[in-house]
Amino acid sequence: REAEAFKEQGNAYYAKKDYNEAYNYYTKAIDTCPNNASYYGNRAATLMMLGRFREALEDAQQSVRLDDSFVRGHLREGKCHLSLGNAMAASRCFQRVLELDHKNTQAQQELKNATTVLEYEKIAEVDFEKRDFRKVVFCMDRALEFAPACHRFKILKAECLALLGRYPEAQSVASDILRMDSTNADALYVRGLCLYYEDCIEKAVQFFVQALRMAPDHEKACLACRNAKALKAKKEDGNKAFKKGNYKLAYELYTEALGIDPNNIKTNAKLYCNRGTVNSKLRKLEEAIDDCTNAVKLDDTYVKAYLRRAQCYMDTEQYEDAVRDYEKVYQTEKTKEHKQLLKNAQVELKKSKRKDYYKILGVNKNASEDEIKKAYRKRALMHHPDRHSGASAEVQKEEEKKFKEVGEAFTILSDPKKKARYDSGQDLEEDGLNMGEFDPNNIFKAFFSGPGGFSFEASGPGNFFFQFG
Protein backbone atom coordinates (compact mmCIF):
# COMPACT_ATOMS: atom_id res chain seq x y z
CA ARG A 1 0.00 0.00 0.00
CA GLU A 2 2.90 2.39 0.80
CA ALA A 3 4.55 1.65 -2.56
CA GLU A 4 1.23 2.28 -4.36
CA ALA A 5 0.91 5.61 -2.58
CA PHE A 6 4.38 6.62 -3.79
CA LYS A 7 3.41 5.51 -7.31
CA GLU A 8 0.21 7.60 -7.25
CA GLN A 9 2.18 10.66 -6.13
CA GLY A 10 4.66 9.98 -8.93
CA ASN A 11 1.79 9.78 -11.42
CA ALA A 12 0.44 13.13 -10.22
CA TYR A 13 3.81 14.84 -10.73
CA TYR A 14 4.21 13.12 -14.11
CA ALA A 15 0.83 14.50 -15.20
CA LYS A 16 2.02 17.98 -14.20
CA LYS A 17 5.23 17.38 -16.23
CA ASP A 18 7.34 17.70 -13.09
CA TYR A 19 9.47 14.76 -14.14
CA ASN A 20 12.18 15.18 -11.53
CA GLU A 21 9.68 14.85 -8.66
CA ALA A 22 7.92 12.03 -10.49
CA TYR A 23 11.27 10.24 -10.74
CA ASN A 24 11.86 10.66 -6.97
CA TYR A 25 8.49 9.10 -6.05
CA TYR A 26 8.79 6.23 -8.53
CA THR A 27 12.21 5.51 -7.02
CA LYS A 28 10.63 5.42 -3.53
CA ALA A 29 8.01 3.01 -4.85
CA ILE A 30 10.75 0.75 -6.30
CA ASP A 31 12.77 0.90 -3.07
CA THR A 32 9.66 -0.13 -1.15
CA CYS A 33 8.60 -2.85 -3.58
CA PRO A 34 11.52 -3.77 -5.91
CA ASN A 35 9.72 -6.61 -7.75
CA ASN A 36 6.90 -4.60 -9.35
CA ALA A 37 7.31 -4.31 -13.15
CA SER A 38 5.01 -1.29 -13.53
CA TYR A 39 7.08 0.82 -11.11
CA TYR A 40 10.19 0.30 -13.28
CA GLY A 41 8.09 0.95 -16.37
CA ASN A 42 6.83 4.25 -14.93
CA ARG A 43 10.30 5.37 -13.93
CA ALA A 44 11.57 4.42 -17.42
CA ALA A 45 8.88 6.66 -18.96
CA THR A 46 9.95 9.52 -16.68
CA LEU A 47 13.64 9.09 -17.54
CA MET A 48 12.74 9.13 -21.24
CA MET A 49 10.99 12.47 -20.76
CA LEU A 50 14.18 13.73 -19.06
CA GLY A 51 16.27 12.54 -22.04
CA ARG A 52 18.13 10.01 -19.90
CA PHE A 53 17.63 7.11 -22.31
CA ARG A 54 20.42 4.83 -21.09
CA GLU A 55 19.03 4.82 -17.54
CA ALA A 56 15.52 4.50 -18.94
CA LEU A 57 16.62 1.45 -20.96
CA GLU A 58 17.86 -0.29 -17.80
CA ASP A 59 14.52 0.29 -16.04
CA ALA A 60 12.52 -0.85 -19.09
CA GLN A 61 14.62 -4.02 -19.36
CA GLN A 62 14.14 -4.71 -15.65
CA SER A 63 10.39 -4.28 -16.03
CA VAL A 64 10.14 -6.97 -18.74
CA ARG A 65 12.49 -9.27 -16.85
CA LEU A 66 9.99 -9.11 -13.99
CA ASP A 67 7.02 -9.51 -16.35
CA ASP A 68 7.64 -10.66 -19.93
CA SER A 69 3.99 -9.96 -20.82
CA PHE A 70 4.30 -6.28 -19.82
CA VAL A 71 3.48 -4.63 -23.17
CA ARG A 72 4.35 -1.06 -22.16
CA GLY A 73 7.67 -2.29 -20.78
CA HIS A 74 8.59 -3.81 -24.16
CA LEU A 75 7.42 -0.65 -25.95
CA ARG A 76 9.56 1.55 -23.73
CA GLU A 77 12.57 -0.71 -24.10
CA GLY A 78 12.17 -0.52 -27.89
CA LYS A 79 11.80 3.28 -27.81
CA CYS A 80 14.99 3.58 -25.72
CA HIS A 81 16.92 1.32 -28.09
CA LEU A 82 15.66 3.34 -31.06
CA SER A 83 16.47 6.69 -29.43
CA LEU A 84 19.99 5.43 -28.73
CA GLY A 85 20.37 4.30 -32.36
CA ASN A 86 20.09 0.52 -31.90
CA ALA A 87 17.33 -0.02 -34.45
CA MET A 88 17.87 -3.79 -34.66
CA ALA A 89 17.28 -4.30 -30.91
CA ALA A 90 14.34 -1.88 -31.09
CA SER A 91 12.76 -3.97 -33.87
CA ARG A 92 12.94 -7.11 -31.71
CA CYS A 93 11.16 -5.29 -28.87
CA PHE A 94 8.36 -4.01 -31.11
CA GLN A 95 7.95 -7.47 -32.67
CA ARG A 96 7.56 -8.91 -29.14
CA VAL A 97 4.81 -6.36 -28.47
CA LEU A 98 3.00 -7.48 -31.63
CA GLU A 99 3.29 -11.08 -30.49
CA LEU A 100 1.50 -10.08 -27.30
CA ASP A 101 -0.92 -7.69 -29.02
CA HIS A 102 -0.97 -8.00 -32.81
CA LYS A 103 -3.26 -4.97 -33.15
CA ASN A 104 -0.99 -2.60 -31.23
CA THR A 105 -0.78 0.40 -33.61
CA GLN A 106 2.03 2.09 -31.68
CA ALA A 107 4.26 -0.96 -32.06
CA GLN A 108 3.40 -1.17 -35.75
CA GLN A 109 4.43 2.46 -36.31
CA GLU A 110 7.57 2.19 -34.19
CA LEU A 111 8.60 -0.93 -36.11
CA LYS A 112 8.33 1.07 -39.34
CA ASN A 113 10.45 3.83 -37.76
CA ALA A 114 13.12 1.32 -36.76
CA THR A 115 13.15 -0.10 -40.31
CA THR A 116 13.54 3.42 -41.70
CA VAL A 117 16.53 4.06 -39.43
CA LEU A 118 18.17 0.82 -40.55
CA GLU A 119 17.73 1.86 -44.19
CA TYR A 120 19.31 5.26 -43.58
CA GLU A 121 22.24 3.55 -41.82
CA LYS A 122 22.88 1.30 -44.82
CA ILE A 123 22.65 4.17 -47.32
CA ALA A 124 25.01 6.29 -45.20
CA GLU A 125 27.56 3.48 -44.98
CA VAL A 126 27.66 3.11 -48.78
CA ASP A 127 27.77 6.88 -49.37
CA PHE A 128 30.60 7.35 -46.86
CA GLU A 129 32.70 4.89 -48.86
CA LYS A 130 31.82 6.89 -52.00
CA ARG A 131 32.88 10.07 -50.15
CA ASP A 132 29.43 11.54 -50.77
CA PHE A 133 29.51 13.27 -47.41
CA ARG A 134 26.54 15.55 -48.08
CA LYS A 135 24.33 12.50 -48.58
CA VAL A 136 25.65 10.98 -45.34
CA VAL A 137 24.78 14.17 -43.43
CA PHE A 138 21.29 14.06 -44.94
CA CYS A 139 20.81 10.41 -43.90
CA MET A 140 22.06 11.05 -40.38
CA ASP A 141 19.75 14.04 -39.96
CA ARG A 142 16.81 11.85 -40.96
CA ALA A 143 17.93 9.01 -38.67
CA LEU A 144 18.41 11.40 -35.74
CA GLU A 145 14.76 12.40 -35.99
CA PHE A 146 14.00 8.89 -34.65
CA ALA A 147 17.25 8.41 -32.69
CA PRO A 148 17.96 11.82 -31.06
CA ALA A 149 20.26 10.36 -28.40
CA CYS A 150 22.48 8.33 -30.74
CA HIS A 151 26.09 9.50 -30.33
CA ARG A 152 27.20 7.25 -33.18
CA PHE A 153 24.94 9.02 -35.69
CA LYS A 154 25.97 12.43 -34.36
CA ILE A 155 29.66 11.57 -34.63
CA LEU A 156 29.30 10.32 -38.21
CA LYS A 157 27.44 13.50 -39.12
CA ALA A 158 30.12 15.63 -37.43
CA GLU A 159 32.93 13.78 -39.20
CA CYS A 160 31.25 14.35 -42.58
CA LEU A 161 30.66 18.02 -41.78
CA ALA A 162 34.39 18.32 -41.05
CA LEU A 163 35.24 16.59 -44.34
CA LEU A 164 32.92 19.05 -46.09
CA GLY A 165 34.76 22.00 -44.53
CA ARG A 166 31.81 22.95 -42.29
CA TYR A 167 34.05 23.12 -39.25
CA PRO A 168 31.93 25.23 -36.83
CA GLU A 169 28.98 22.85 -37.22
CA ALA A 170 31.18 19.80 -36.77
CA GLN A 171 32.87 21.28 -33.70
CA SER A 172 29.49 22.12 -32.16
CA VAL A 173 28.27 18.53 -32.47
CA ALA A 174 31.51 17.06 -31.11
CA SER A 175 31.66 19.54 -28.23
CA ASP A 176 28.06 18.73 -27.21
CA ILE A 177 28.98 15.06 -26.93
CA LEU A 178 32.19 15.82 -25.02
CA ARG A 179 30.22 17.87 -22.49
CA MET A 180 28.17 14.74 -21.76
CA ASP A 181 31.06 12.31 -22.11
CA SER A 182 34.59 13.79 -21.98
CA THR A 183 36.11 10.35 -22.66
CA ASN A 184 34.32 9.78 -25.98
CA ALA A 185 37.21 8.89 -28.31
CA ASP A 186 35.17 9.46 -31.48
CA ALA A 187 34.20 12.98 -30.41
CA LEU A 188 37.81 13.75 -29.48
CA TYR A 189 38.89 12.52 -32.92
CA VAL A 190 36.35 14.74 -34.72
CA ARG A 191 37.34 17.74 -32.61
CA GLY A 192 40.95 17.14 -33.59
CA LEU A 193 39.96 16.64 -37.24
CA CYS A 194 38.36 20.10 -37.35
CA LEU A 195 41.51 21.71 -35.95
CA TYR A 196 43.66 19.69 -38.35
CA TYR A 197 41.68 20.84 -41.38
CA GLU A 198 41.79 24.44 -40.13
CA ASP A 199 45.61 24.21 -40.16
CA CYS A 200 45.86 24.24 -36.34
CA ILE A 201 47.95 21.11 -36.54
CA GLU A 202 49.67 21.26 -33.17
CA LYS A 203 46.36 21.51 -31.27
CA ALA A 204 44.88 18.80 -33.49
CA VAL A 205 47.64 16.38 -32.51
CA GLN A 206 46.77 16.92 -28.84
CA PHE A 207 43.17 15.80 -29.45
CA PHE A 208 44.27 12.81 -31.53
CA VAL A 209 46.65 11.72 -28.77
CA GLN A 210 43.86 12.10 -26.19
CA ALA A 211 41.50 10.02 -28.36
CA LEU A 212 44.15 7.29 -28.60
CA ARG A 213 44.51 7.27 -24.81
CA MET A 214 40.77 6.57 -24.54
CA ALA A 215 40.82 4.04 -27.42
CA PRO A 216 44.35 2.84 -28.36
CA ASP A 217 42.98 0.95 -31.41
CA HIS A 218 41.14 3.96 -32.89
CA GLU A 219 42.31 3.60 -36.52
CA LYS A 220 41.11 6.98 -37.78
CA ALA A 221 42.70 8.88 -34.90
CA CYS A 222 45.93 6.92 -35.38
CA LEU A 223 46.08 7.73 -39.11
CA ALA A 224 45.14 11.39 -38.60
CA CYS A 225 47.76 11.79 -35.87
CA ARG A 226 50.45 10.28 -38.08
CA ASN A 227 49.47 12.50 -41.04
CA ALA A 228 49.33 15.63 -38.87
CA LYS A 229 52.81 15.05 -37.46
CA ALA A 230 54.27 14.27 -40.90
CA LEU A 231 52.61 17.31 -42.49
CA LYS A 232 53.83 19.63 -39.75
CA ALA A 233 57.40 18.31 -40.01
CA LYS A 234 57.59 18.53 -43.83
CA LYS A 235 56.11 22.02 -43.94
CA GLU A 236 58.51 23.30 -41.27
CA ASP A 237 61.50 21.70 -43.04
CA GLY A 238 60.40 23.34 -46.31
CA ASN A 239 60.15 26.72 -44.59
CA LYS A 240 63.64 26.33 -43.14
CA ALA A 241 65.12 25.43 -46.53
CA PHE A 242 63.39 28.43 -48.11
CA LYS A 243 64.76 30.84 -45.48
CA LYS A 244 68.26 29.50 -46.13
CA GLY A 245 67.81 30.15 -49.86
CA ASN A 246 67.91 26.45 -50.73
CA TYR A 247 64.97 26.72 -53.13
CA LYS A 248 65.47 23.37 -54.81
CA LEU A 249 65.26 21.52 -51.49
CA ALA A 250 62.31 23.67 -50.39
CA TYR A 251 60.48 22.75 -53.60
CA GLU A 252 61.06 19.03 -52.96
CA LEU A 253 59.89 19.24 -49.34
CA TYR A 254 56.72 21.18 -50.17
CA THR A 255 55.97 18.64 -52.93
CA GLU A 256 56.40 15.75 -50.50
CA ALA A 257 54.14 17.52 -47.98
CA LEU A 258 51.43 17.92 -50.64
CA GLY A 259 51.37 14.14 -51.08
CA ILE A 260 50.62 13.37 -47.42
CA ASP A 261 46.89 14.17 -47.19
CA PRO A 262 44.88 15.49 -50.16
CA ASN A 263 41.89 16.09 -47.85
CA ASN A 264 43.65 18.79 -45.82
CA ILE A 265 42.51 21.70 -47.98
CA LYS A 266 43.74 24.69 -45.96
CA THR A 267 47.21 23.33 -45.29
CA ASN A 268 47.59 22.18 -48.89
CA ALA A 269 46.53 25.63 -50.12
CA LYS A 270 49.38 27.13 -48.09
CA LEU A 271 51.80 24.49 -49.36
CA TYR A 272 50.87 25.26 -52.99
CA CYS A 273 51.35 28.97 -52.35
CA ASN A 274 54.72 28.32 -50.67
CA ARG A 275 55.82 26.18 -53.61
CA GLY A 276 54.61 28.91 -55.97
CA THR A 277 56.86 31.36 -54.14
CA VAL A 278 59.78 28.94 -54.57
CA ASN A 279 59.05 28.65 -58.30
CA SER A 280 58.95 32.43 -58.63
CA LYS A 281 62.37 32.61 -56.98
CA LEU A 282 63.61 30.02 -59.46
CA ARG A 283 62.07 32.17 -62.26
CA LYS A 284 59.73 29.33 -63.18
CA LEU A 285 56.88 31.78 -63.46
CA GLU A 286 54.33 29.64 -65.29
CA GLU A 287 54.82 26.86 -62.72
CA ALA A 288 54.43 29.46 -59.98
CA ILE A 289 51.15 30.63 -61.53
CA ASP A 290 49.91 27.01 -61.67
CA ASP A 291 50.74 26.49 -57.98
CA CYS A 292 48.95 29.67 -56.93
CA THR A 293 45.96 28.68 -59.05
CA ASN A 294 45.81 25.36 -57.21
CA ALA A 295 46.00 27.25 -53.92
CA VAL A 296 43.01 29.48 -54.70
CA LYS A 297 41.04 26.51 -56.04
CA LEU A 298 41.38 24.98 -52.58
CA ASP A 299 40.80 28.25 -50.71
CA ASP A 300 39.23 31.05 -52.75
CA THR A 301 39.70 33.50 -49.86
CA TYR A 302 43.50 33.06 -49.75
CA VAL A 303 44.74 36.63 -50.33
CA LYS A 304 48.43 35.73 -50.25
CA ALA A 305 48.00 33.28 -53.15
CA TYR A 306 46.17 35.89 -55.25
CA LEU A 307 48.94 38.42 -54.57
CA ARG A 308 51.68 35.95 -55.48
CA ARG A 309 49.91 34.94 -58.69
CA ALA A 310 49.21 38.56 -59.62
CA GLN A 311 52.91 39.40 -59.30
CA CYS A 312 53.79 36.45 -61.54
CA TYR A 313 51.23 37.67 -64.07
CA MET A 314 52.87 41.11 -63.96
CA ASP A 315 56.31 39.57 -64.47
CA THR A 316 55.04 37.63 -67.51
CA GLU A 317 53.15 40.67 -68.86
CA GLN A 318 49.75 39.00 -68.46
CA TYR A 319 48.29 42.26 -67.24
CA GLU A 320 44.58 41.46 -67.64
CA ASP A 321 44.97 38.45 -65.34
CA ALA A 322 47.02 40.53 -62.90
CA VAL A 323 44.29 43.21 -62.78
CA ARG A 324 41.67 40.55 -62.12
CA ASP A 325 43.63 39.13 -59.17
CA TYR A 326 44.41 42.55 -57.69
CA GLU A 327 40.72 43.48 -57.97
CA LYS A 328 39.84 40.32 -56.03
CA VAL A 329 42.40 41.20 -53.36
CA TYR A 330 41.24 44.81 -53.08
CA GLN A 331 37.60 43.70 -52.72
CA THR A 332 38.67 41.45 -49.85
CA GLU A 333 41.10 43.83 -48.11
CA LYS A 334 40.74 47.50 -49.04
CA THR A 335 44.21 48.70 -48.02
CA LYS A 336 46.28 51.51 -49.55
CA GLU A 337 48.93 48.99 -50.60
CA HIS A 338 46.41 46.81 -52.44
CA LYS A 339 44.85 49.85 -54.09
CA GLN A 340 48.26 50.94 -55.38
CA LEU A 341 49.05 47.45 -56.69
CA LEU A 342 45.76 47.43 -58.57
CA LYS A 343 46.41 50.89 -59.98
CA ASN A 344 49.90 49.87 -61.16
CA ALA A 345 48.50 46.78 -62.90
CA GLN A 346 45.79 48.84 -64.59
CA VAL A 347 48.43 51.28 -65.88
CA GLU A 348 50.54 48.43 -67.25
CA LEU A 349 47.46 46.90 -68.87
CA LYS A 350 46.63 50.22 -70.53
CA LYS A 351 50.23 50.56 -71.72
CA SER A 352 50.26 47.02 -73.07
CA LYS A 353 47.30 47.74 -75.32
CA ARG A 354 49.21 50.57 -77.08
CA LYS A 355 52.01 50.22 -79.59
CA ASP A 356 55.31 49.30 -77.98
CA TYR A 357 57.53 52.07 -79.36
CA TYR A 358 60.62 50.64 -77.69
CA LYS A 359 60.04 47.34 -79.44
CA ILE A 360 59.39 49.08 -82.77
CA LEU A 361 62.78 50.82 -82.56
CA GLY A 362 64.49 47.78 -81.09
CA VAL A 363 65.76 49.50 -77.92
CA ASN A 364 65.17 48.95 -74.24
CA LYS A 365 63.31 51.32 -71.93
CA ASN A 366 66.53 52.79 -70.57
CA ALA A 367 67.94 53.69 -74.01
CA SER A 368 69.81 57.03 -74.26
CA GLU A 369 68.95 59.81 -76.72
CA ASP A 370 71.83 58.77 -79.02
CA GLU A 371 70.72 55.13 -78.95
CA ILE A 372 67.18 56.16 -79.90
CA LYS A 373 68.51 58.25 -82.82
CA LYS A 374 70.76 55.44 -84.08
CA ALA A 375 67.88 52.99 -83.84
CA TYR A 376 65.59 55.33 -85.78
CA ARG A 377 68.22 55.80 -88.50
CA LYS A 378 68.61 52.05 -88.91
CA ARG A 379 64.88 51.20 -88.87
CA ALA A 380 63.81 54.14 -91.06
CA LEU A 381 66.30 53.17 -93.76
CA MET A 382 65.25 49.52 -93.46
CA HIS A 383 61.54 50.21 -93.99
CA HIS A 384 61.58 53.31 -96.29
CA PRO A 385 58.99 52.78 -99.08
CA ASP A 386 61.46 53.77 -101.83
CA ARG A 387 63.62 50.84 -100.87
CA HIS A 388 60.75 48.43 -101.55
CA SER A 389 59.24 50.04 -104.68
CA GLY A 390 59.98 46.93 -106.72
CA ALA A 391 58.31 44.56 -104.24
CA SER A 392 54.74 43.22 -104.37
CA ALA A 393 51.87 45.51 -103.41
CA GLU A 394 51.36 43.52 -100.19
CA VAL A 395 55.00 43.90 -99.13
CA GLN A 396 55.00 47.60 -100.03
CA LYS A 397 51.93 48.15 -97.86
CA GLU A 398 53.47 46.32 -94.91
CA GLU A 399 56.80 48.20 -95.18
CA GLU A 400 54.97 51.52 -95.45
CA LYS A 401 53.10 50.69 -92.24
CA LYS A 402 56.36 49.82 -90.45
CA PHE A 403 58.02 53.00 -91.75
CA LYS A 404 55.17 55.04 -90.29
CA GLU A 405 55.41 53.24 -86.93
CA VAL A 406 59.15 53.89 -86.75
CA GLY A 407 58.45 57.61 -87.28
CA GLU A 408 55.79 57.56 -84.56
CA ALA A 409 58.15 55.81 -82.15
CA PHE A 410 60.93 58.33 -82.78
CA THR A 411 58.54 61.29 -82.42
CA ILE A 412 57.47 60.08 -78.98
CA LEU A 413 60.71 58.73 -77.56
CA SER A 414 62.91 61.61 -78.75
CA ASP A 415 60.73 64.16 -76.92
CA PRO A 416 61.40 64.00 -73.13
CA LYS A 417 57.89 65.24 -72.25
CA LYS A 418 56.09 62.82 -74.57
CA LYS A 419 58.38 59.98 -73.52
CA ALA A 420 57.61 60.63 -69.85
CA ARG A 421 53.87 60.64 -70.56
CA TYR A 422 54.18 57.47 -72.64
CA ASP A 423 56.21 55.69 -69.94
CA SER A 424 53.64 56.58 -67.27
CA GLY A 425 50.78 55.29 -69.40
CA GLN A 426 49.12 58.67 -69.93
CA ASP A 427 47.19 59.65 -73.05
CA LEU A 428 49.43 61.24 -75.67
CA GLU A 429 46.46 62.85 -77.41
CA GLU A 430 46.47 65.48 -74.67
CA ASP A 431 49.71 66.78 -76.19
CA GLY A 432 47.89 67.33 -79.48
CA LEU A 433 49.61 64.43 -81.24
CA ASN A 434 47.16 62.84 -83.68
CA MET A 435 48.87 59.78 -85.10
CA GLY A 436 46.07 59.32 -87.64
CA GLU A 437 47.27 62.45 -89.47
CA PHE A 438 50.96 61.74 -88.89
CA ASP A 439 53.32 61.98 -91.94
CA PRO A 440 56.51 59.95 -91.33
CA ASN A 441 58.22 61.49 -94.38
CA ASN A 442 58.44 64.83 -92.59
CA ILE A 443 60.40 63.23 -89.75
CA PHE A 444 62.57 61.36 -92.22
CA LYS A 445 63.39 64.51 -94.24
CA ALA A 446 64.07 66.53 -91.13
CA PHE A 447 66.32 63.82 -89.74
CA PHE A 448 68.38 63.31 -92.92
CA SER A 449 68.32 66.88 -94.44
CA GLY A 450 71.41 69.09 -94.67
CA PRO A 451 75.04 68.00 -94.93
CA GLY A 452 75.33 64.25 -94.85
CA GLY A 453 71.83 63.80 -96.30
CA PHE A 454 71.11 61.13 -98.89
CA SER A 455 68.64 59.95 -101.51
CA PHE A 456 67.60 56.62 -103.02
CA GLU A 457 68.79 56.09 -106.63
CA ALA A 458 67.49 53.33 -108.90
CA SER A 459 70.02 51.14 -110.72
CA GLY A 460 67.52 48.79 -112.27
CA PRO A 461 64.16 47.20 -111.44
CA GLY A 462 64.01 46.54 -107.67
CA ASN A 463 67.63 47.59 -107.07
CA PHE A 464 68.66 50.70 -105.12
CA PHE A 465 71.78 52.27 -103.78
CA PHE A 466 72.25 55.18 -101.40
CA GLN A 467 73.53 58.52 -102.75
CA PHE A 468 75.07 60.43 -99.80
CA GLY A 469 75.79 64.21 -99.96
Side-chain angles (χ1 to χ4, degrees), residues 114 128 162 200 216 277 343 420 458 461 465:
F128 189 88
C200 300
T277 304
K343 186 177 178 182
F465 65 91

Side-chain angles (χ1 to χ4, degrees), residues 357 407-413 415 418-419 422 427-439 443:
Y357 290 138
E408 285 180 20
F410 180 71
T411 300
I412 300 304
L413 300 183
D415 184 316
K418 290 185 177 69
K419 183 177 183 295
Y422 175 78
D427 290 328
L428 298 171
E429 285 77 5
E430 293 179 14
D431 285 338
L433 184 64
N434 187 344
M435 291 303 179
E437 300 173 359
F438 174 78
D439 185 353
I443 299 296

Side-chain angles (χ1 to χ4, degrees), residues 303 307 326 329-330 333 335-342:
V303 168
L307 287 170
Y326 282 132
V329 169
Y330 186 61
E333 295 180 1
T335 66
K336 287 182 180 179
E337 181 187 357
H338 295 158
K339 186 177 182 180
Q340 188 59 49
L341 288 168
L342 173 58

Side-chain angles (χ1 to χ4, degrees), residues 140-367:
M140 290 301 96
D141 279 337
R142 300 291 79 76
L144 284 164
E145 291 173 5
F146 303 106
C150 181
H151 285 182
R152 184 165 48 88
F153 292 169
K154 289 179 181 179
I155 288 294
L156 181 56
K157 175 185 173 180
E159 183 178 1
C160 289
L161 287 170
L163 292 167
L164 288 168
R166 294 160 63 178
Y167 308 120
E169 296 171 74
Q171 286 178 16
S172 177
V173 174
S175 296
D176 285 345
I177 293 171
L178 288 171
R179 274 193 288 273
M180 291 182 279
D181 178 10
S182 62
T183 64
N184 189 303
D186 291 326
L188 289 166
Y189 159 70
V190 170
R191 188 73 185 85
L193 197 65
C194 292
L195 290 165
Y196 172 61
Y197 285 146
E198 288 184 295
D199 199 39
C200 300
I201 295 179
E202 200 165 331
K203 287 183 180 179
V205 169
Q206 294 173 6
F207 276 94
F208 294 144
V209 169
Q210 199 175 344
L212 289 167
R213 284 200 198 103
M214 299 300 117
D217 297 328
H218 199 295
E219 291 182 9
K220 289 182 178 179
C222 185
L223 176 62
C225 190
R226 187 164 63 245
N227 283 346
K229 288 178 178 178
L231 203 52
K232 182 173 181 286
K234 285 288 182 190
K235 185 181 175 186
E236 288 177 353
D237 288 346
N239 293 345
K240 287 176 186 174
F242 180 83
K243 286 176 183 176
K244 290 179 180 177
N246 191 342
Y247 301 130
K248 186 179 178 183
L249 177 59
Y251 178 90
E252 291 171 358
L253 289 166
Y254 290 140
T255 301
E256 288 172 17
L258 282 164
I260 292 172
D261 184 2
N263 295 320
N264 194 322
I265 291 170
K266 281 207 170 183
T267 303
N268 287 342
K270 290 182 179 180
L271 288 168
Y272 272 120
C273 187
N274 287 0
R275 196 173 74 173
T277 304
V278 170
N279 274 323
S280 69
K281 291 288 186 183
L282 295 169
R283 303 310 295 167
K284 296 180 178 179
L285 298 179
E286 289 302 329
E287 288 91 334
I289 289 170
D290 289 342
D291 277 340
C292 293
T293 299
N294 284 326
V296 298
K297 279 181 182 175
L298 294 175
D299 182 1
D300 64 359
T301 65
Y302 194 9
V303 168
K304 187 177 178 182
Y306 283 110
L307 287 170
R308 172 60 56 197
R309 186 171 70 174
Q311 184 57 57
C312 291
Y313 281 139
M314 292 291 285
D315 292 342
T316 52
E317 299 183 2
Q318 300 178 64
Y319 299 120
E320 287 187 8
D321 292 323
V323 168
R324 186 195 63 232
D325 278 357
Y326 282 132
E327 283 176 341
K328 174 78 173 177
V329 169
Y330 186 61
Q331 287 167 5
T332 306
E333 295 180 1
K334 294 187 184 299
T335 66
K336 287 182 180 179
E337 181 187 357
H338 295 158
K339 186 177 182 180
Q340 188 59 49
L341 288 168
L342 173 58
K343 186 177 178 182
N344 293 345
Q346 288 169 334
V347 168
E348 291 302 322
L349 174 59
K350 185 177 179 181
K351 286 163 65 175
S352 72
K353 291 182 180 294
R354 307 173 310 173
K355 292 177 182 176
D356 186 342
Y357 290 138
Y358 290 104
K359 188 175 181 181
I360 289 169
L361 287 184
V363 296
N364 63 45
K365 293 181 180 181
N366 298 317

Side-chain angles (χ1 to χ4, degrees), residues 56-109:
L57 177 61
E58 292 175 11
D59 275 354
Q61 288 173 325
Q62 180 61 17
S63 74
V64 297
R65 275 195 290 268
L66 292 169
D67 181 2
D68 186 52
S69 64
F70 185 29
V71 169
R72 280 185 293 177
H74 286 295
L75 272 172
R76 286 165 186 158
E77 182 187 358
K79 282 285 288 180
C80 289
H81 277 309
L82 187 56
S83 295
L84 291 166
N86 192 344
M88 192 68 75
S91 297
R92 288 195 292 269
C93 294
F94 299 136
Q95 285 166 350
R96 176 59 182 152
V97 172
L98 292 172
E99 289 172 7
L100 296 168
D101 177 10
H102 69 277
K103 292 183 178 179
N104 192 300
T105 56
Q106 186 180 357
Q108 290 170 355
Q109 183 57 51

